[in-house]
């Protein structure tokens, strides 16, 4: 009733040595890359806010993760409230990744930045309400 398959399937498993065709990264390496990206984005927003001391602390963590110093520039035209909201979100993402890779230094830094940006937003709402 059915005709047997006479050709090799294109859906067969890859050869055992096919893993060497492209580089693989470990989970830890992937998390390092992800954390460095979140912290670099947070660094850019922190520079835009003019928080030099805090930006230097973030830059140290990015340098530790990447092995090179991150580029630094300040050029945003967003309002301070928008920058604080963006920084709060980025610090939250960095905290999640830092916690998953058990990076205590980065997690503490991200949590401190979250608190600072949340406080700045709260303070700005109080000033705007007057």
């Amino acid at each position: 009733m059915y005709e047997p398959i006479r050709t090799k399937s294109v859906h067969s498993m890859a050869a055992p040595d096919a893993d060497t065709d492209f580089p693989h990264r470990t989970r830890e390496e992937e998390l390092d890359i992800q954390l460095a990206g979140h912290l670099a984005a947070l660094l850019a927003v922190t520079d835009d806010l003019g928080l030099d001391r805090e930006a230097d602390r973030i830059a140290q963590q990015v340098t530790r993760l990447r092995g090179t110093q991150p580029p630094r520039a300040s050029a945003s035209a967003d309002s301070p409230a928008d920058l604080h909201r963006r920084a709060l979100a980025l610090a939250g993402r960095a905290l999640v990744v830092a916690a998953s890779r058990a990076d205590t230094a980065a997690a503490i830094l991200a949590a401190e930045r979250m608190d600072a940006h949340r406080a700045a937003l709260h303070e700005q709402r109080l000033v705007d309400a007057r």
Side-chain angles (χ1 to χ4, degrees), residues 15-129:
D17 61 342
D19 288 342
T20 60
D21 290 348
F22 56 92
H24 292 280
R25 289 189 278 250
T26 65
R27 179 176 186 274
E28 289 78 19
E29 290 170 329
E30 288 292 337
L31 289 173
D32 282 349
I33 292 166
Q34 194 176 49
L35 180 58
H38 290 315
L39 289 175
L42 179 60
L43 174 62
V45 175
T46 305
D47 277 337
D48 287 343
L49 285 166
L51 304 172
D52 294 333
R53 190 172 57 97
E54 291 82 359
D56 290 341
R57 289 181 60 212
I58 296 168
Q60 288 174 349
Q61 292 297 318
V62 175
T63 301
R64 179 180 61 88
L65 291 164
R66 286 188 178 165
T68 61
Q69 287 190 329
R72 307 227 359 219
S74 177
S76 179
D78 292 341
S79 72
D82 288 340
L83 290 172
H84 282 295
R85 277 189 211 93
R86 188 176 321 140
L88 180 62
L90 289 166
R93 290 182 193 128
L95 178 60
V96 168
V97 177
S100 69
R101 69 180 292 277
D103 188 332
T104 306
I108 290 170
L109 176 64
E112 288 173 357
R113 298 313 316 142
M114 285 181 69
D115 290 343
H117 293 296
R118 190 175 294 117
L121 285 170
H122 181 69
E123 182 179 307
Q124 185 150 11
R125 285 188 196 118
L126 291 177
V127 170
D128 291 343

